[in-house]
Amino acid sequence: MNRGEPFDTTSGLPVSMLKTATAETSWYEFALSYVDHKWARASAVYRRDIARVMVTVTAAMLRMQPSGFTAVWLRKALRDWAFNKEHCDNAPPEIAGILAWVKRNSLAIGALEDSESFGKVLAALAVNLDGKTAAGSTIRRNRNILHNALGYAEQRHLLAENPLTLADDERVRAVRAIDKRRLVNPSQARALLAAVGDRKPSGPRVYAFLAVMYYAALRPEEVVSLYVRDLTLPATGWGEIAVSEPRPEVGKRWTDSGEVRDKRSQPKGRQKGEVRYVPCHPELVAILLDYIAAHCLEDGDRLFTGVRRGDDLAAT
């Protein structure tokens, strides 16, 4: 007060103390707190994507490169333990040693206000692990996650402002035009599906699964969640498919249930409980009627399951 220093209206702290907090908080410590902040409300897919971006930025925000372990183990330790709220407290000794090294060698979050350091981070988000330039959609998704994280840092007064909003090349737009010459025509699609159907023992199941994706344009996580009761299949003509609970295959480390697939109670882009109705092509109607009859499925049965155990079809 004697110096006439302004106070922050949210925290009540003088500006000088806020700057001290920024200088003392490392990027790694902030990234851990951001993962904790987002975990409960994030889907398993989004948790995994957040971890992936936090790993990339953390690796770019180190004072030096590791010498006692490889970059592969660095990323594994960060992805599978540090940035996974369910497993961060159970890291084995060798992983805990790597994370302790990261904590000691992480730059302060305030380094992102330096244009050179921030440019290094943006460059890291624009390449794949093999060093090749990432797809435009991947870069945009990476930056969206980082933008959200830096906005959280701004709210906590760890950054004066979100530096990503100041970047000249912030908006990376993916090419959305579809070259129809690269798409299979109906005759080719039927031939490809038939070839899949001839493979044993899972061919008939995969044939029908891929047919739903081709004729109804459903994503794999939507197809795998279908029950027989979700289908309206007349004897002839067009039918209808009700899509409500996509189950993306993410990995049991990222789901609340510990299952490989995440069950979303609120599908992406829709309100909780909302159902999307998709037209079912007459050819697909015939394929699904034959499939249901061949497997003696009832209304309450899952449409697609594995051959041996009767659980979800695997992604690979």
Side-chain angles (χ1 to χ4, degrees), residues 6-165:
F7 285 75
D8 177 66
T9 57
T10 302
S11 65
L13 296 175
V15 173
S16 60
M17 292 184 66
L18 291 176
K19 292 181 178 178
T20 299
T22 301
E24 293 177 349
T25 302
S26 70
W27 163 261
Y28 177 64
E29 292 172 323
F30 165 74
L32 292 175
S33 67
Y34 178 70
V35 169
D36 288 347
H37 170 69
K38 298 293 288 187
W39 188 271
R41 298 185 302 276
S43 69
V45 173
Y46 193 43
R47 291 171 181 174
R48 185 187 61 186
D49 287 345
I50 289 175
R52 177 175 47 76
V53 172
M54 294 299 104
V55 168
T56 301
V57 178
T58 300
M61 289 283 284
L62 293 173
R63 292 188 179 90
M64 64 183 72
Q65 294 302 308
S67 57
F69 49 89
T70 65
V72 172
W73 275 101
L74 170 66
R75 299 183 69 89
K76 182 176 179 63
L78 291 171
R79 182 189 67 244
D80 291 348
W81 277 277
F83 299 137
N84 187 307
K85 185 174 173 57
E86 296 298 326
H87 298 277
C88 59
D89 296 329
N90 302 317
E94 61 275 16
I95 296 298
I98 294 175
L99 298 181
W101 182 91
V102 172
K103 183 177 181 179
R104 294 193 303 270
N105 289 277
S106 177
L107 293 172
I109 189 173
L112 291 173
E113 295 177 336
D114 174 69
S115 59
E116 183 176 350
S117 297
F118 188 60
K120 183 179 178 181
V121 168
L122 292 183
L125 292 176
V127 297
N128 297 319
L129 290 178
D130 59 5
K132 296 181 179 179
T133 301
S137 58
T138 300
I139 299 175
R140 187 175 66 254
R141 182 169 60 251
N142 291 346
R143 292 193 178 189
N144 285 341
I145 292 174
L146 179 60
H147 181 274
N148 189 287
L150 297 182
Y152 179 61
E154 184 180 6
Q155 292 174 10
R156 291 182 51 190
H157 303 287
L158 297 177
L159 293 173
E161 55 187 343
N162 189 334
L164 190 51
T165 61

